[in-house]
Structure formats: structure tokens, C-alpha cells
Amino acid sequence: MVNPSSLRRLALPLVLLTILGASLGVNARLKDRPLLGGDLPDYLMQAWNLNHHGLLSQDISQPPRPVLGREPGYPLLLAALMRTTALGGFQPSCLTQPGLCPRAMFRPALALGIGMALAAAAALGWAAFRLTGWRGAGVVGFGYVALNGQMWSWRHFPQSDYLGLLLACGLAALAAEWVLRQGLPQGRRWAAATGLCLGALILVKAAFLWLLPPLLLAWAWMRWRRAVLLPRHAGLVLALAALPPALWMWRNGVQTGSFALTDARSGIALSTREVFDHMGWWDWLCAWVFWTRGFGDDLAQAVFPAAVWQPYLLDAAGGYYDVGQNRYPVLVQAAMTARGLPLAAAQAAVDREMLGAILAHPLGYLASLPALFWRGIWIDEFVLLGLPALALLVRRAWRLGDAAWLLALLPGVFNLVFYPAVSLNIPRYQITALPALGLGAAWAAWRLWPLAEARARAAMARRRAATPTPAA
């Protein structure tokens, strides 16, 4: 006879293996898609120049000049793949025409992306288990990422988002361990690992640099108030989180004269964000419909005039994306020509003008914010469950002053709010918000499971009571 306790011990690994197998079975199949658009050419040039010239630069001239470029985290990973896999066959000439680079060359990068996403799922599952103490929450956290079909839709392209997701999930797990172990001898080591993980995340997704100032202000305020909520070694976490981006900015300053983290993408993001501040009420309604996953764009085309819905297409001439992205270099060049400014100063001047234009239309900015938030959340397959659960969890953790939950959720919540505030917030930008949404779902399952068990036991008791006792 099978021992019930043995079955219970086997249940967890069997469920995890089933989720893993289902995820691999669906996501290991890759579609033939164009690979050299978006950010990838810059990342590839940085990696290639590092391997061949010892300089992490996206400049296409040979030998390359030191220029401000993208975040260095993903190019370093690509450089390692170029040394060890078929990606080493990449040449800059591949970028001159689509199709010159065989797709097989990029298979190692795509496979690594899948592996990083699955590792991220495992890290989130561990974080959910540690925060709740319930293995079922770990299963929910793991499955939330491993089975998230919308997030996996980007597996066909080499991109930095899965590395960012891995670091974001790892950060949630490390932050939980740091707070839960802060009274133990190894607490300082967990704090150091948490800080370094956040620093690494900033070098992959520069947006998280803007998480440091509010964290520093909160730390200073709680130190001044001697708040009980402040975990031990928080100063160490902040110092080590700031160290990697500070070293990279120092390197950029020495080599290029500009002590910045990345190139002009912040200004382009502000330019693209500002155009949405001028939407009329009809455009605003269309945005909610058009940006709804699945049927939204078709419904918008059926309901709204073409002049209203067409500007939301990414390739529409004169549309929001076209204007926001392409006017920025024109404005920078005009500032250089008319005012005699060098490139960095011209970019800074245009950035200030964009920020001033946003501040000049505060109502338009605030009105567009919820619609842009709505646009981004659809990267999550389970957002209709995860987002309400996350909102309830944040409220409860804040009310109870639960530092472990709050710190584990903070990067994902920041991601959800920051990108619609400063960019066009395409859904891909919210991949790094999945840790918070997944933890929200795991917490909800943990809270609801005892109720479900109690109802199941009550239903079984009613059935037994209603079953006639056999006659002797």
C-alpha cells in the first residue's frame, strides 16, 4: 500500500517538473523572425568591439571610438557567447542588410534567454516560498513566470529583458533572505548580495538607477527617526547598489567626457512620452481600447475614425511613436547649430525643454498616465489575477510594516509606475515587473488555500452525512 506521506513528498517535485516540461515544450520552439531591429545592433557592436578591440563601444567605425552607449550588462554576456559559441561568427557587415547573418548564429543567445527566464522563475518561486513558508506559494511563483505566455513571446529575439528579469527575480529572493536573516551572522552577506544584485540590474536596465535616490532618502529619514522598519545593513545595500553604476559612469566620464550611465535614450524617452500629453478625449478613449491585448486594435479600428487610431501604430508616419522618436535628434542638431553647443550640452538642453513641455501640460500628463500604465501591463498573461493581488498585498504589507515583503516587491512596483511616467511604456518594458505580480499571485494563493481546504473538508463532511449507512 502506498504511504500517503510519500505521495505528498513526491507531489511538489512532480508538479514543478510538469510546469518545467510544459514551459520547455511550448517555448523551445522558435519562430523565424527578423533579428536585427531595435536595440540588438547596438548590443552586438558593443560585444564585438570588446572582443576585437578591447573597448565596450557601439561605434561602427574601425577602430571604434569611445562613445556613450547602451547599458553594459547584456553586451558583456553577448561578448562571452561570441568567444564560446556560434555567435562568434558575427561580423559588423551583418548589420548592413537584413539576412546577412544566418539565424543559426543567434541560437545560443536565444537558448540562453530561455534558460535565464526559467532561472528567473525558479528564483521567484524560492522568494515566494521564503516569504510565506508554504511550498504551494513557491509552485505558484515558479509557474507564474514559467507559464507566462505573453512574457515568453519575446523569446524569438535576443534582448536584454530576460537578463533583467533574472536579476529582478534574484533581487526579490535576495531581499527576502536579507530581511529574514538580518539577525543571523550571515545577514551581512545577504545584504551585500542584495546590493550587488541591484547594482547589476541597473547596468542592464538603467531605469532602476532612479530607484536609488528615493531609497537613499527613505534610508536617511528612517535612520533619523530610528524606525524599527529599517533592516540592518541597509546602508551597505545602498552603497553596493550604487557602486557598479558609479564605476561605469566614471569610466564613461574618463573615456567620453560625459559622466552619464547611457546614451541619449532618456531624452528620446521623454520626447516620446511628451507627445501623449496632447491627446484629446477621443484619442484618450481610443488609447484604452487600442492598447488592450488581443482584440483591442481591431476593435479600435471598428469603432474610431482612422485619423484617431492610426497614430497609435508604431510605423504610422506622423504618429505618436514617429514624432516622439524622430524629432529628438533633429532638435539636438538644431540646438548644436543655432546655439553652437557640443553634443552633450545640446542633448541636455533638449532634455530640459522636453521636461518643461511635460510640466507645462500637467493635466494632459496626468490624464495620459493611466492609459500608458494600461498599455504596459499586458505583457503579463495572468495580469487580471496578479495585479489585484499585488495591490492588496502592497496595502497589507504597508499597513503591517512588513519590510521583507515591501523590499521584495519594491523593484517590480517601481517598474510598473516608472515606465509609464517617463516613456511610451510598450509592454516589453514591464517584463521586469513580473516578480512583483508573481509574488502577489503567490501571496493570494497562500491566503486563499486554507479557505479552499476548509470548504473542501466541509463539503466532504456533508456528503458523508448524506450517505445512508449500510444496513448490518
Side-chain angles (χ1 to χ4, degrees), residues 61 64 89 108 122 159 175 177 182 192 200 236 257 265 278 280 302 313 319 355 362 365 388 399 417 419:
S61 60
Q159 31 78 22
E177 292 289 349
Q182 62 178 310
L236 176 64
R265 285 187 305 136
H278 305 284
L313 297 174
L355 186 58
Y365 175 80
R399 189 177 69 249
V417 175
Y419 276 106

Side-chain angles (χ1 to χ4, degrees), residues 68 258 262-265 267 328 331-332 335-336 341-353:
L68 284 177
S258 179
T262 62
D263 54 15
R265 285 187 305 136
Y328 183 81
L331 293 173
V332 170
M336 294 173 65
L341 298 174
L343 176 61
Q347 289 174 343
V350 174
D351 291 356
R352 289 192 297 270
E353 291 171 2

